[in-house]
Amino acid sequence: MTASVSIIVPTYREALNIPELVRRISEAMTPTGHKFDLWLMDDPSGDGIERVVKELRLPWVNLVTRTPPRGLGYAVLEGLRSAPGDILVVMDADLSHPPERIPALVDAALQPENHLVIGSRYVSGATIDGGWSLLRHMNSRGATWMARLFTWVNDPMSGFLAMRRDILSRAVGELDPVGYKIGLELIVKCRCGKVAEVPIHFSDRALGKSKMGLREQLQYIVHVRRLARWKYGELARFGEFGIVGASGLVVNLATLTLVNDAMLRMGFTAQSARLNTAVTIAVFVSMSTNFLLNRMLTFGDKARGHLGRKYLTFVGVCLVGGVVNWWATTRLALRWHEITLGLQAAAVCGVFAGMLFNYIGSRIFVFRTIR
Ligand code: GDD
Ligand code: MN
């Protein structure tokens, strides 16, 4: 079966890599009989890419000079939307992704059961050029691990992809360009249940420099958060509330230790007065950091309104939540007193009950939808 294939390549300062990229794509695709075209989605690079493309004189090679906003995600999305092919392929310009594997990706994408095909670095048969720093490995693995919220694909971070246009059409209006890990964005929003992974050899970039830096990595966290909200809605919000709560535990323990030590050094030897003071301060400090973080993150979209009044309501909700925690823990501990670790299990349930109460209370009384 022959198809029409559009290959979309985001470029920024890649002029030097274009001739070899084009030559290898042509050599790989011509024997397949597929009709194919190339879309270089260039953010004005000022590196003479226009001249390079012109000199190739190939009608199937198209250069799109973009207008802002600049960015890899925007460039790929614009290409996906405007390219004419029935099969859409996305790959990097720097020859990290071997053009020789495009036919294999296309074949897999033509199988009706595959929603998305990934050129994968992490399946058997795949290889990676050596010379990756420990940091790059950790980054790649860490990012993959976070993607497990959405998919068990081995290499969800890959930028080498193929899909049929009808799958893209499922979500084309919902794709968010800040989602610069475009593969993950497509898996989630196009609801790609079946993702095929084709092994590739991932080379070090041929020429030029990588554009991925700290900014892109931080953006990835923002991206994961957005996808979680998109896919899991209220449950994702509750998850964030839980993460903030865990940070509050750390703040609480640190404050408790600091205050207790300081008081000891200042000569407060009466134990019960010292502990009461230290615990009270620790509770209020962690409650306050929790409030601020929840206002910024968990309920960032509902942060408007009087800060002081919101804070006091939050403290009120937490106090009641504390009572719920205490009540549930003591009740369960009595019931489970003969079981090993019964007390600890009761405490975990108590914390969870208190947290659920705090969440619902915060949602209804503190960070309201209507105001
Ligand atoms: N139009 C446009 N605008 N293209 C860009 C921009 C931009 O702002 N930034 C980067 N690109 C293009 C590059 O020219 C290249 O073709 C491709 O996007 C990938 O950029 P690199 O700078 O080579 O990124 P990388 O090698 O660090 O990351 C690649 O591999 C990762 C997996 O390790 C990308 O494919 C990532 O998506 C992938 O996760
Ligand atoms: Mn690269």
Side-chain angles (χ1 to χ4, degrees), residues 139-152:
N139 257 321
S140 184
R141 290 297 179 166
T144 304
W145 180 81
M146 276 168 74
R148 292 283 171 264
L149 279 169
F150 315 104
T151 175
W152 288 96

Side-chain angles (χ1 to χ4, degrees), residues 6-198:
S6 287
I7 302 160
I8 295 146
V9 176
T11 57
Y12 182 65
R13 302 203 179 138
E14 302 284 4
L16 292 175
N17 289 317
I18 302 304
E20 184 177 347
L21 179 75
V22 167
R23 181 180 60 74
R24 285 172 58 185
I25 290 177
S26 169
E27 281 175 17
M29 291 302 288
T30 307
T32 63
H34 296 312
K35 181 176 167 316
F36 61 97
D37 41 39
L38 175 65
W39 298 84
L40 300 166
M41 308 302 296
D42 190 57
D43 271 309
S45 306
D47 61 351
I49 191 172
E50 295 82 1
R51 195 169 32 80
V52 170
V53 171
K54 211 171 182 176
E55 278 170 8
L56 290 170
R57 286 200 196 83
L58 294 168
W60 57 275
V61 177
N62 307 279
L63 175 67
V64 177
T65 304
R66 301 194 58 253
T67 49
R70 190 178 96 70
L72 171 53
Y74 288 102
V76 171
L77 193 59
E78 191 182 328
L80 286 172
R81 284 193 176 131
S82 57
D86 300 325
I87 302 286
L88 302 164
V89 175
V90 179
M91 69 189 294
D92 292 351
D94 58 0
L95 300 165
S96 283
H97 301 145
E100 293 69 32
R101 298 300 279 157
I102 300 174
L105 264 75
V106 170
D107 281 350
L110 282 168
Q111 304 295 316
E113 71 271 18
N114 290 334
H115 296 150
L116 181 73
V117 185
I118 292 178
S120 175
R121 297 164 296 171
Y122 301 131
V123 289
S124 92
T127 44
I128 301 185
D129 267 352
W132 271 33
S133 66
L134 182 66
L135 194 67
R136 183 159 183 198
H137 264 295
M138 278 167 41
N139 257 321
S140 184
R141 290 297 179 166
T144 304
W145 180 81
M146 276 168 74
R148 292 283 171 264
L149 279 169
F150 315 104
T151 175
W152 288 96
V153 166
N154 292 295
D155 192 4
M157 299 297 114
S158 174
F160 193 11
L161 316 158
M163 77 197 303
R164 294 188 305 279
R165 176 168 298 286
D166 59 303
I167 303 288
L168 178 75
S169 312
R170 291 178 178 182
V172 76
E174 290 177 76
L175 296 176
D176 184 345
V178 171
Y180 99 125
K181 291 297 178 186
I182 196 73
L184 189 61
E185 178 86 6
L186 292 170
I187 291 175
V188 176
K189 298 215 172 141
C190 299
R191 300 180 178 83
C192 296
K194 174 89 170 59
V195 180
E197 289 185 83
V198 171

Side-chain angles (χ1 to χ4, degrees), residues 142-312:
T144 304
W145 180 81
M146 276 168 74
R148 292 283 171 264
L149 279 169
F150 315 104
T151 175
W152 288 96
V153 166
N154 292 295
D155 192 4
M157 299 297 114
S158 174
F160 193 11
L161 316 158
M163 77 197 303
R164 294 188 305 279
R165 176 168 298 286
D166 59 303
I167 303 288
L168 178 75
S169 312
R170 291 178 178 182
V172 76
E174 290 177 76
L175 296 176
D176 184 345
V178 171
Y180 99 125
K181 291 297 178 186
I182 196 73
L184 189 61
E185 178 86 6
L186 292 170
I187 291 175
V188 176
K189 298 215 172 141
C190 299
R191 300 180 178 83
C192 296
K194 174 89 170 59
V195 180
E197 289 185 83
V198 171
I200 62 163
H201 171 73
F202 186 89
S203 316
D204 283 340
R205 87 173 4 258
L207 299 163
K209 279 209 309 265
S210 168
K211 286 95 199 172
M212 300 293 142
L214 188 64
R215 207 178 88 93
E216 280 68 24
Q217 283 158 21
L218 292 179
Q219 261 186 12
Y220 176 64
I221 298 177
V222 175
H223 185 199
V224 167
R225 235 189 107 204
R226 283 199 191 185
L227 285 178
R229 283 282 173 94
W230 189 89
K231 184 161 176 182
Y232 302 116
E234 196 68 22
L235 195 63
R237 203 195 275 276
F238 183 57
E240 281 176 40
F241 192 78
I243 294 173
V244 169
S247 84
L249 179 64
V250 176
V251 170
N252 185 297
L253 293 178
T255 314
L256 186 63
T257 313
L258 284 176
V259 173
N260 186 48
D261 287 0
M263 287 181 79
L264 267 177
R265 251 181 281 120
M266 289 188 301
F268 286 85
T269 39
Q271 196 186 29
S272 98
R274 191 182 69 240
L275 284 183
N276 278 336
T277 315
V279 170
T280 309
I281 292 177
V283 166
F284 271 93
V285 170
S286 56
M287 213 153 53
S288 306
T289 55
N290 275 3
F291 170 74
L292 291 174
L293 285 174
N294 278 322
R295 184 167 174 277
M296 255 166 59
L297 301 171
T298 321
F299 298 106
D301 51 336
K302 305 187 192 308
R304 277 165 305 137
H306 193 280
L307 184 69
R309 196 180 328 135
K310 270 190 154 47
Y311 176 68
L312 290 179

